[in-house]
Amino acid sequence: MTTRSFAPARGTVLLPPTTGTGLITPKTSLSIGMDLDGVNYNFAASLRRYLLTVDHPHEMPDPTIWDFFGTHGWGSLTPAEFVSHAHDGVNAGIVFRSMDWFPYVNEAWEIIRSLGHTIDVATDRTFGNPGQSQRNTIDALAEKGLSYDTITFTADKTSINPDMMLEDKAENFLALEAAGVDAWLVTRPWNQHVKTDKRVLDVLHFAEVVREVTRQMRAAS
């Protein structure tokens, strides 16, 4: 797959005129895949919000590693204890339902939709009673005013077959690339080890990448 590179500042996105993925071809619209947790939504902040309601006696700073719950000031939670808290937080209507969104989400989604593309959400959310994660997610998206075309609850992000997708989890990013998706990685502390130039600062930066891809695609039509 052809690597795209860009200057690490919003508003400056440099892409080659063609790619080996077939993306820059005449096409009415693109399917833009969106992960939620770690990309658009701050899962750790929502879990922290719940744990504060049950007087969890730890500092709970922002994570710098993927499995933050076992160390990093959140207390020595075992995986089973972490899952139990996550279940309870979802059922309490806090985890996945609180308004703990990262900055610029609305602006980014509006840019993508204004370009005529679809937004196809793929998120791995299974905590809580059956269906509760899904209800919390859909309600939170509605309250935030985020319009999307499809939403799929899955651990396999390749299953939605997007043209482009934004991810934060290294394994998902690499799987998307291997499947031929034009995948981009939002830079987080837990994915610094991934060697790629296809990084963005945040979801708004990704929207600017989508805008430039769109410009080139339509110029080639």
Side-chain angles (χ1 to χ4, degrees), residues 84-149:
S84 178
H85 284 306
H87 283 315
D88 292 342
V90 168
N91 291 333
I94 297 175
V95 173
F96 303 148
R97 181 63 185 85
S98 63
M99 291 291 100
D100 288 300
W101 299 91
F102 285 114
Y104 312 119
V105 173
N106 289 81
E107 295 90 335
W109 288 39
E110 287 168 8
I111 288 171
I112 292 169
R113 295 197 68 82
S114 74
L115 294 168
H117 304 314
T118 64
I119 294 179
D120 299 293
V121 177
T123 183
D124 184 13
R125 292 180 166 185
T126 58
F127 295 127
N129 295 331
Q132 192 61 53
S133 282
Q134 290 86 341
R135 286 189 289 273
N136 286 5
T137 300
I138 291 168
D139 288 348
L141 286 163
E143 182 175 342
K144 183 65 172 169
L146 295 172
S147 177
Y148 54 92
D149 293 272

